[in-house]
Every structure is written in C-alpha cells, then in structure tokens.
Amino acid sequence: MGRFLDLTLAGLTSGAVYSAVALALVLIWRSTRIVNFAQGGMLMITTFIAYTIVSHGGSYWLALIVAVLSGLVLGAVVERVLVRPVEKRSPLDAVVVTFGLLVLLQGVAGMLFGGTPRSYPPAFGIAGFKVGDRQLLFAPNDLWIVLVVLAVMVVLALVFRKTNLGLRMRASAFAPEVARLLGVRVGRMLTVGWALAAAVGAIAGVLVAPSTFVSPTAFDAVLVFGFTAAVIGGLDSPPGAVVGGLALGIVLSYVAGYLGSDIVTLASLVVLIGVLMLRPQGLFGSTKGRRV
C-alpha cells in the first residue's frame, strides 16, 4: 500500500507538468486552431534563459519571472513572423512550420549552450513530507508544482469564460470574418493566444527543470506526454488538459513502478489510442460540430 501511495503522489507531480504543457497546447488550439509541435522547443529556450539567470547568481523567482516574460515575447514573435504567413493556407503548412521551428530552436540552443545536461535548482525542498514514521515521495517542491498548475488552469478558465478578452480570442479562432465585422482585431487576438501559450510553457519548463536536466532535447518527452494529455482531456478544454495530464501522470507512474520504465512511452500510446477509440473529442471536449 505504501508503494502504491508513493507512485500515486509521484504521478501527480509529473502529471502536473504534463498538464501545464497540455494547457499551452490547448491555448493555441483554442485561439488559432493550430497544434504547436514547437512547444517543447519554445519552453526549452525560455528554461535555458532562466537557467542562465540562476547560474549567474539570480534567484529562482527572478528566473521564473524572466522566463515567463521571455515566453510572452517569443510566442508573439513566432505568431507574427512564422505562423501568420501560413495561417490561411493548408493546416499541414502550419504543422510543418512548427516542426521546423522545433528543429531550429534545438539547433540554436545546442550552439549557444552546448549539449551537456545542466542541473536546475528547485524552488523548495526535495525531501519528502513525513507522515508519522513514514517519509512520502512527495516533497514541498512537488506540492508547489501541483498548486501552480492548478492556479494557472483556474486563471485561464476564468479568462476564456468570464472576460471579454477570452470571448474575443474564441471568436477570432472560430469565426474570424464575423469577429472582424464586430470590431475585433483578430490578428492581435491570435498573437495574444500564442504569447499566453508560450508563457504557460515557460512555467512548465521551469517547473520540470529540477527533475529533468536542462538540455536542447531534454523536453521532448515532456512535449509528447503533454500532447497526449491535451488530446485525452480535449483540445478545447483547459480543465480537461489538467485532468488529462494528472491522469496520464498517475497511470504512467504505475506503469513505471510495477512494469518497468522501458514501456512508459508505449503505455502512453495505448492510453491515447484507447481514449480516441472511445471518445475521439477527448474526455472534456465538446461534441458539437463546427462549420468550416
């Protein structure tokens, strides 16, 4: 029973990181109807920026703030320079652009920082909480990760459902021509969507960095699991992204603990296929059709 509890808590921590990446993917999908496969590269760059600050004596909190601001700028630039020229073409063009951007960012990071993995300090202690005589595999830093992701989810849900900004972003994604007629600056809304997504990705990168070393390709697996979580929860649902990430993290933790870590990636694929077969729109996705 103790091992089961430890695996569950470990799964919650890793699942929270997957949820943050899934939230970033959902943000872009909701605002532009594009799946950003460069999300892993973008959060990797912002995490390297944060690492540079920490390695030069800056605090964890300063590095986190700079990473988020860097994500906002990077997301806006990517949308303006790379995505906007192809957004009205075939959806495949945008996919190719995001894949190309991922390769470019990894190459640039390799040239600037090298391929040696770097360690990143946690925000809080990594010694597990004690319950009676037992020390759990759940530390203050793990609690910090879970709370931050839940807070980000709540804020994003409120933005999309309760604010004019969220309404304009959704209108720009689903009916851009109608939104323009109503006075919405669609281009600006798309830029805001990409900027917010990159900022959320930057948060995810800083959160996961202490447990997975910082390197140009260190976040590839995080992107894969984050994308799986987004599809499981539903690409239209921020709460679904969080639930999907947490559920996936727990399932993969059980697989790694009881069956071996070598089949974790295969297990995520099995979970993804199972959800798509039973509920293609995701657990929290809308079943309503959309006119194209």
Side-chain angles (χ1 to χ4, degrees):
M1 188 62 186
R3 180 172 176 77
F4 177 81
L5 177 61
D6 285 339
L7 292 175
T8 302
L9 294 175
L12 283 175
T13 304
S14 57
V17 175
Y18 304 154
S19 297
V21 178
L23 278 171
L25 294 171
V26 166
L27 262 177
I28 292 180
W29 176 258
R30 286 180 66 118
S31 59
T32 64
R33 316 312 288 181
I34 293 173
V35 177
N36 180 22
F37 290 104
Q39 190 68 60
M42 294 171 67
L43 70 88
M44 176 268 297
I45 287 292
T46 56
T47 305
F48 261 120
I49 293 173
Y51 169 80
T52 302
I53 293 174
V54 170
S55 63
H56 284 81
S59 68
Y60 177 97
W61 308 109
L62 175 62
L64 176 60
I65 293 172
V66 172
V68 172
L69 295 177
S70 301
L72 288 170
V73 174
L74 179 60
V77 170
V78 167
E79 194 280 329
R80 287 278 183 172
V81 176
L82 298 178
V83 176
R84 184 162 299 188
V86 301
E87 65 183 3
K88 294 183 180 179
R89 302 179 188 175
S90 167
L92 182 60
D93 291 348
V95 172
V96 172
V97 167
T98 58
F99 269 120
L101 178 60
L102 172 62
V103 175
L104 174 64
L105 291 175
Q106 289 181 340
V108 170
M111 290 187 293
L112 293 178
F113 303 103
T116 304
R118 321 287 182 89
S119 61
Y120 196 96
F124 298 99
I126 58 174
F129 291 107
K130 276 194 172 183
V131 178
D133 296 331
R134 178 176 175 77
Q135 188 168 25
L136 302 176
L137 290 181
F138 191 77
N141 193 66
D142 300 324
L143 179 62
W144 157 252
I145 292 174
V146 174
L147 292 178
V148 168
V149 172
L150 292 178
V152 171
M153 183 272 291
V154 171
V155 170
L156 292 179
L158 291 175
V159 167
F160 273 104
R161 296 182 180 181
K162 302 296 184 180
T163 68
N164 289 331
L165 174 63
L167 178 61
R168 292 196 296 268
M169 290 175 64
R170 285 185 290 160
S172 300
F174 286 103
E177 297 302 328
V178 176
R180 288 189 179 95
L181 292 175
L182 294 175
V184 177
R185 302 186 66 172
V186 173
R188 178 174 294 181
M189 292 301 101
L190 300 183
T191 302
V192 170
W194 275 80
L196 288 176
V200 174
I203 294 173
V206 173
L207 292 178
V208 74
S211 57
T212 177
F213 293 103
V214 183
S215 73
T217 59
F219 301 98
D220 289 351
V222 177
L223 173 62
V224 171
F225 296 142
F227 174 74
T228 303
V231 174
I232 291 173
L235 282 170
D236 281 313
S237 173
V242 174
V243 173
L246 294 176
L248 181 65
I250 292 173
V251 169
L252 297 185
S253 179
Y254 293 155
V255 170
Y258 293 118
L259 302 178
S261 59
D262 294 340
I263 62 172
V264 166
T265 304
L266 176 61
S268 70
L269 178 61
V270 171
V271 172
L272 177 61
I273 293 175
V275 171
L276 290 177
M277 290 179 64
L278 297 175
R279 190 172 173 82
Q281 72 273 21
L283 299 179
F284 293 84
S286 173
T287 59
K288 295 181 179 179
R290 182 168 67 98
R291 180 175 296 177
V292 179

